[in-house]
Amino acid sequence: LVERVSRLVTSLGGIIEGIKVSRVDLCTDVLLPASEWGRDIENGIVTRARDIGPHTQHRELTGFSIGKSEISARFYDKPIEIARQSNKVWMFDIWGIDTVPADHHIIRIEFQLRRNKIKELGVNTYDQLAERLAGIWAYCSKRWLHVAEDGRLHNTQQRLRPWWTVVQDGFPGTQGAQPLICVRAIKTDREILARQAIGCLVSMIASIIKVPLGPDDILPMDKMLRQSLVDALQITELTEAELSERVRAKQGKLWRHGNLDDGAFQSDRVLSNSIDLEA
């Protein structure tokens, strides 16, 4: 769809400078035995979010909401939502069934990420999103949230519920995928770093020039920037060896991409999954 819209824009004479993603919704639908779906799931939810809320209608559990801000999740009974709200009965064709099997539920596990969170995961453009979908899903289902047998236990004693390992591997291409690591944009954004560097050099130039500049005075940019840099090196007495060591240390912080590998347990069924996005 993105490619079709892009071709339409260019065919009308438009120029596409870039395609950036403002929101992403990822989901997978899982067939669960009725015994696995209940209010006790709340005790197993382990998440970095502060808010966890169950939802009921006529005393019947319909789902959970986790988180409210840049990243959030929802678990909900999709057939109930279809019957009472969306009327998307064609989902049964996608699932390949005519009705929900007896004593089972079809549960949608859905994550929503907004612009700031997407950028923290190193995704800015649509192409980057397409390349890193598996890592985003792994981050959401392994690092940001998981469902344990008892989430109140210490993390070293927690065991994942078998159906949650199915969720972790339930998105296309995610089997064995490693979660992306959040890196704050201010630490990696070259534009911000460049502006900070120029700001420091401008301050150095202001300290070098001993007379006030008139409104029509124009400074030679290349000469003054070079002079301010030379002065900075002389003042700090930075050597090439020290420079190299500092660069290595900074690279370790800026390019750190750790791995987290959780074991897989095959159980139950993944019925469908999808991605929605706003560009």
Side-chain angles (χ1 to χ4, degrees):
L1 179 60
V2 171
E3 292 173 356
R4 289 175 61 187
V5 172
S6 298
R7 288 197 299 269
L8 175 62
V9 171
T10 54
S11 69
L12 296 174
I15 298 175
I16 300 177
E17 295 184 354
I19 302 175
K20 297 182 179 181
V21 182
S22 63
R23 199 184 94 184
V24 178
D25 295 79
L26 305 175
C27 73
T28 192
D29 298 332
V30 183
L31 181 67
L32 288 185
S35 59
E36 295 287 347
W37 177 246
R39 289 291 297 266
D40 70 304
I41 288 179
E42 186 172 358
N43 294 329
I45 294 175
V46 181
T47 177
R48 297 183 179 185
R50 295 180 180 179
D51 302 296
I52 302 175
H55 299 283
T56 60
Q57 287 187 6
H58 307 295
R59 300 182 182 276
E60 179 182 13
L61 178 68
T62 58
F64 296 89
S65 295
I66 302 104
K68 292 182 178 180
S69 57
E70 295 298 328
I71 178 172
S72 59
R74 291 198 302 159
F75 306 166
Y76 59 96
D77 189 308
K78 187 62 178 177
I80 290 180
E81 187 269 344
I82 291 172
R84 297 178 180 176
Q85 189 172 348
S86 69
N87 199 34
K88 295 179 179 179
V89 294
W90 42 264
M91 284 301 303
F92 286 89
D93 295 330
I94 294 177
W95 295 329
I97 57 177
D98 295 324
T99 186
V100 180
D103 298 324
H104 282 76
H105 296 274
I106 297 176
I107 304 303
R108 170 157 292 188
I109 310 297
E110 181 177 274
F111 295 98
Q112 181 182 101
L113 298 90
R114 296 186 180 275
R115 176 69 175 165
N116 287 343
K117 193 65 181 182
I118 298 169
K119 289 188 68 176
E120 285 180 15
L121 292 171
V123 174
N124 187 39
T125 67
Y126 172 74
D127 288 340
Q128 290 173 334
L129 173 69
E131 293 172 358
R132 302 176 188 179
L133 274 178
I136 294 175
W137 182 264
Y139 170 81
C140 293
S141 63
K142 294 182 179 181
R143 183 155 295 170
W144 186 77
L145 181 149
H146 64 265
V147 181
E149 296 286 1
D150 188 346
R152 295 166 295 186
L153 298 176
H154 189 270
N155 56 10
T156 59
Q157 299 178 300
Q158 290 175 10
R159 293 174 50 201
L160 289 179
R161 299 198 180 194
W163 61 267
W164 188 257
T165 61
V166 178
V167 169
Q168 291 177 334
D169 288 337
F171 202 79
T174 56
Q175 292 192 359
Q178 305 302 326
L180 297 182
I181 304 298
C182 278
V183 181
R184 294 294 177 183
I186 193 170
K187 294 182 179 179
T188 57
D189 191 327
R190 294 182 65 191
E191 181 180 353
I192 293 177
L193 293 174
R195 293 183 184 279
Q196 291 174 343
I198 291 296
C200 292
L201 292 175
V202 167
S203 297
M204 284 291 296
I205 293 171
S207 69
I208 292 171
I209 300 176
K210 305 302 183 183
V211 296
L213 288 180
D216 299 324
D217 293 333
I218 302 297
L219 295 175
M221 181 181 296
D222 185 69
K223 177 181 178 181
M224 297 308 303
L225 289 176
R226 287 178 183 274
Q227 182 60 52
S228 64
L229 181 57
V230 169
D231 282 15
L233 292 173
Q234 290 176 345
I235 292 171
T236 59
E237 298 181 345
L238 183 68
T239 66
E240 291 183 349
E242 290 172 335
L243 172 64
S244 301
E245 184 59 34
R246 291 190 184 187
V247 169
R248 277 191 290 270
K250 286 293 183 181
Q251 285 181 329
K253 293 180 180 180
L254 294 176
W255 296 352
R256 185 182 297 121
H257 291 280
N259 292 329
L260 177 65
D261 189 12
D262 293 334
F265 182 94
Q266 190 61 36
S267 174
D268 304 318
R269 290 176 57 196
V270 172
L271 299 180
S272 70
N273 39 62
S274 72
I275 168 178
D276 293 330
L277 60 88
E278 291 182 0

